[in-house]
Every structure is written in structure tokens, then in C-alpha cells.
Amino acid sequence: MIATVPVGINPNGAGANPLTNRVYISNQDDNTISVIDGETNTVIATIPVGARPFAVGVNP
């Protein structure tokens, strides 16, 4: 299913872990990473990180 999931401000990087069905989005202007459950298409966590994250790397 394709869905629009609201995340943080200025999302610009994405990574996916096919083993856990999680999607990670970097939100550059609020210094967070949003974690999305790929089955429910909902944000399950918001992780504070350093200034202006612009990419995500995932190691399944």
C-alpha cells in the first residue's frame, strides 16, 4: 500500500530495513529521525540527532 506519512520538518533522506519493515527518515530542520512502521504506515518513534541530518544509512 502507498501512503503519505507525516514526519518532521524538511524530510530529505530515507533508508529502509526490509528485515524489520522499518523506514527511517531524516528531518533536516528539526534535527530528528522519524521511524515508520512499514506495516501500519505510522511513525513509531522520533529520535533526536545532531544538527541538520540529511541522510540515513541502514545495516539490516
Side-chain angles (χ1 to χ4, degrees):
M1 170 168 80
I2 296 174
T4 300
V5 180
V7 292
I9 301 169
N10 194 14
N12 60 5
N17 184 333
L19 299 178
T20 61
N21 204 15
R22 300 287 191 259
V23 180
Y24 301 86
I25 307 295
S26 62
N27 303 303
Q28 187 171 357
D29 290 347
D30 67 2
N31 306 324
T32 63
I33 301 292
S34 297
V35 182
I36 299 170
D37 182 317
E39 289 187 30
T40 63
N41 292 324
T42 58
V43 174
I44 58 171
T46 302
I47 304 167
V49 295
R52 301 185 60 79
F54 61 90
V56 177
V58 177
N59 184 9

PDB file of all heavy atoms in Angstrom, residues 39-54:
ATOM      1  N   GLU A  39       4.347  -1.672   8.088  1.00  0.00           N
ATOM      2  CA  GLU A  39       3.084  -2.411   8.017  1.00  0.00           C
ATOM      3  C   GLU A  39       1.888  -1.521   8.305  1.00  0.00           C
ATOM      4  O   GLU A  39       0.846  -1.652   7.683  1.00  0.00           O
ATOM      5  CB  GLU A  39       3.103  -3.584   8.990  1.00  0.00           C
ATOM      6  CG  GLU A  39       4.040  -4.684   8.554  1.00  0.00           C
ATOM      7  CD  GLU A  39       3.931  -5.919   9.427  1.00  0.00           C
ATOM      8  OE1 GLU A  39       2.829  -6.179   9.958  1.00  0.00           O
ATOM      9  OE2 GLU A  39       4.947  -6.614   9.569  1.00  0.00           O
ATOM     10  N   THR A  40       2.047  -0.600   9.263  1.00  0.00           N
ATOM     11  CA  THR A  40       0.921   0.253   9.660  1.00  0.00           C
ATOM     12  C   THR A  40       1.014   1.658   9.079  1.00  0.00           C
ATOM     13  O   THR A  40       0.065   2.438   9.199  1.00  0.00           O
ATOM     14  CB  THR A  40       0.840   0.364  11.189  1.00  0.00           C
ATOM     15  OG1 THR A  40       2.038   1.009  11.669  1.00  0.00           O
ATOM     16  CG2 THR A  40       0.675  -0.995  11.833  1.00  0.00           C
ATOM     17  N   ASN A  41       2.165   1.980   8.464  1.00  0.00           N
ATOM     18  CA  ASN A  41       2.402   3.322   7.924  1.00  0.00           C
ATOM     19  C   ASN A  41       2.198   4.408   8.974  1.00  0.00           C
ATOM     20  O   ASN A  41       1.561   5.421   8.715  1.00  0.00           O
ATOM     21  CB  ASN A  41       1.539   3.577   6.683  1.00  0.00           C
ATOM     22  CG  ASN A  41       1.973   2.716   5.522  1.00  0.00           C
ATOM     23  OD1 ASN A  41       3.154   2.463   5.334  1.00  0.00           O
ATOM     24  ND2 ASN A  41       1.012   2.235   4.757  1.00  0.00           N
ATOM     25  N   THR A  42       2.745   4.180  10.157  1.00  0.00           N
ATOM     26  CA  THR A  42       2.682   5.164  11.228  1.00  0.00           C
ATOM     27  C   THR A  42       4.082   5.408  11.783  1.00  0.00           C
ATOM     28  O   THR A  42       4.933   4.511  11.762  1.00  0.00           O
ATOM     29  CB  THR A  42       1.763   4.718  12.378  1.00  0.00           C
ATOM     30  OG1 THR A  42       2.250   3.466  12.892  1.00  0.00           O
ATOM     31  CG2 THR A  42       0.332   4.549  11.930  1.00  0.00           C
ATOM     32  N   VAL A  43       4.298   6.619  12.296  1.00  0.00           N
ATOM     33  CA  VAL A  43       5.558   6.939  12.954  1.00  0.00           C
ATOM     34  C   VAL A  43       5.519   6.300  14.338  1.00  0.00           C
ATOM     35  O   VAL A  43       4.613   6.561  15.128  1.00  0.00           O
ATOM     36  CB  VAL A  43       5.762   8.463  13.055  1.00  0.00           C
ATOM     37  CG1 VAL A  43       7.010   8.781  13.869  1.00  0.00           C
ATOM     38  CG2 VAL A  43       5.857   9.083  11.669  1.00  0.00           C
ATOM     39  N   ILE A  44       6.513   5.448  14.622  1.00  0.00           N
ATOM     40  CA  ILE A  44       6.540   4.758  15.908  1.00  0.00           C
ATOM     41  C   ILE A  44       7.591   5.341  16.848  1.00  0.00           C
ATOM     42  O   ILE A  44       7.596   5.034  18.039  1.00  0.00           O
ATOM     43  CB  ILE A  44       6.753   3.250  15.740  1.00  0.00           C
ATOM     44  CG1 ILE A  44       8.050   2.954  15.001  1.00  0.00           C
ATOM     45  CG2 ILE A  44       5.562   2.620  15.032  1.00  0.00           C
ATOM     46  CD1 ILE A  44       8.435   1.498  14.997  1.00  0.00           C
ATOM     47  N   ALA A  45       8.487   6.177  16.309  1.00  0.00           N
ATOM     48  CA  ALA A  45       9.498   6.818  17.149  1.00  0.00           C
ATOM     49  C   ALA A  45      10.044   8.038  16.430  1.00  0.00           C
ATOM     50  O   ALA A  45      10.061   8.093  15.194  1.00  0.00           O
ATOM     51  CB  ALA A  45      10.635   5.856  17.460  1.00  0.00           C
ATOM     52  N   THR A  46      10.471   9.019  17.209  1.00  0.00           N
ATOM     53  CA  THR A  46      11.179  10.185  16.703  1.00  0.00           C
ATOM     54  C   THR A  46      12.452  10.306  17.525  1.00  0.00           C
ATOM     55  O   THR A  46      12.397  10.454  18.744  1.00  0.00           O
ATOM     56  CB  THR A  46      10.319  11.457  16.812  1.00  0.00           C
ATOM     57  OG1 THR A  46       9.098  11.246  16.078  1.00  0.00           O
ATOM     58  CG2 THR A  46      11.041  12.658  16.237  1.00  0.00           C
ATOM     59  N   ILE A  47      13.585  10.212  16.850  1.00  0.00           N
ATOM     60  CA  ILE A  47      14.877  10.159  17.526  1.00  0.00           C
ATOM     61  C   ILE A  47      15.613  11.487  17.336  1.00  0.00           C
ATOM     62  O   ILE A  47      15.878  11.887  16.190  1.00  0.00           O
ATOM     63  CB  ILE A  47      15.733   9.015  16.955  1.00  0.00           C
ATOM     64  CG1 ILE A  47      14.974   7.689  17.066  1.00  0.00           C
ATOM     65  CG2 ILE A  47      17.092   8.957  17.641  1.00  0.00           C
ATOM     66  CD1 ILE A  47      15.589   6.566  16.262  1.00  0.00           C
ATOM     67  N   PRO A  48      15.940  12.194  18.431  1.00  0.00           N
ATOM     68  CA  PRO A  48      16.731  13.419  18.281  1.00  0.00           C
ATOM     69  C   PRO A  48      18.170  13.075  17.892  1.00  0.00           C
ATOM     70  O   PRO A  48      18.753  12.120  18.410  1.00  0.00           O
ATOM     71  CB  PRO A  48      16.667  14.061  19.663  1.00  0.00           C
ATOM     72  CG  PRO A  48      16.243  12.997  20.598  1.00  0.00           C
ATOM     73  CD  PRO A  48      15.566  11.922  19.804  1.00  0.00           C
ATOM     74  N   VAL A  49      18.715  13.832  16.952  1.00  0.00           N
ATOM     75  CA  VAL A  49      20.092  13.617  16.494  1.00  0.00           C
ATOM     76  C   VAL A  49      20.800  14.971  16.414  1.00  0.00           C
ATOM     77  O   VAL A  49      20.244  15.992  16.788  1.00  0.00           O
ATOM     78  CB  VAL A  49      20.120  12.894  15.122  1.00  0.00           C
ATOM     79  CG1 VAL A  49      19.545  11.492  15.239  1.00  0.00           C
ATOM     80  CG2 VAL A  49      19.374  13.686  14.064  1.00  0.00           C
ATOM     81  N   GLY A  50      21.994  14.991  15.875  1.00  0.00           N
ATOM     82  CA  GLY A  50      22.755  16.232  15.723  1.00  0.00           C
ATOM     83  C   GLY A  50      22.130  17.171  14.710  1.00  0.00           C
ATOM     84  O   GLY A  50      21.106  16.876  14.097  1.00  0.00           O
ATOM     85  N   ALA A  51      22.794  18.284  14.526  1.00  0.00           N
ATOM     86  CA  ALA A  51      22.278  19.361  13.675  1.00  0.00           C
ATOM     87  C   ALA A  51      22.154  18.951  12.214  1.00  0.00           C
ATOM     88  O   ALA A  51      23.084  18.406  11.634  1.00  0.00           O
ATOM     89  CB  ALA A  51      23.155  20.584  13.795  1.00  0.00           C
ATOM     90  N   ARG A  52      20.990  19.190  11.643  1.00  0.00           N
ATOM     91  CA  ARG A  52      20.679  19.103  10.226  1.00  0.00           C
ATOM     92  C   ARG A  52      21.025  17.757   9.556  1.00  0.00           C
ATOM     93  O   ARG A  52      21.794  17.704   8.611  1.00  0.00           O
ATOM     94  CB  ARG A  52      21.330  20.262   9.491  1.00  0.00           C
ATOM     95  CG  ARG A  52      20.846  21.609  10.037  1.00  0.00           C
ATOM     96  CD  ARG A  52      21.327  22.804   9.303  1.00  0.00           C
ATOM     97  NE  ARG A  52      20.951  22.849   7.898  1.00  0.00           N
ATOM     98  CZ  ARG A  52      19.760  23.209   7.413  1.00  0.00           C
ATOM     99  NH1 ARG A  52      18.797  23.545   8.248  1.00  0.00           N
ATOM    100  NH2 ARG A  52      19.531  23.245   6.156  1.00  0.00           N
ATOM    101  N   PRO A  53      20.445  16.658  10.032  1.00  0.00           N
ATOM    102  CA  PRO A  53      20.692  15.368   9.362  1.00  0.00           C
ATOM    103  C   PRO A  53      20.159  15.406   7.937  1.00  0.00           C
ATOM    104  O   PRO A  53      19.103  15.972   7.684  1.00  0.00           O
ATOM    105  CB  PRO A  53      19.918  14.374  10.219  1.00  0.00           C
ATOM    106  CG  PRO A  53      18.806  15.183  10.803  1.00  0.00           C
ATOM    107  CD  PRO A  53      19.395  16.541  11.045  1.00  0.00           C
ATOM    108  N   PHE A  54      20.901  14.832   7.001  1.00  0.00           N
ATOM    109  CA  PHE A  54      20.462  14.885   5.609  1.00  0.00           C
ATOM    110  C   PHE A  54      20.489  13.540   4.913  1.00  0.00           C
ATOM    111  O   PHE A  54      20.187  13.430   3.735  1.00  0.00           O
ATOM    112  CB  PHE A  54      21.279  15.905   4.817  1.00  0.00           C
ATOM    113  CG  PHE A  54      22.751  15.595   4.772  1.00  0.00           C
ATOM    114  CD1 PHE A  54      23.273  14.807   3.757  1.00  0.00           C
ATOM    115  CD2 PHE A  54      23.594  16.086   5.740  1.00  0.00           C
ATOM    116  CE1 PHE A  54      24.617  14.511   3.719  1.00  0.00           C
ATOM    117  CE2 PHE A  54      24.948  15.801   5.710  1.00  0.00           C
ATOM    118  CZ  PHE A  54      25.463  15.011   4.700  1.00  0.00           C
TER     119      PHE A  54
END
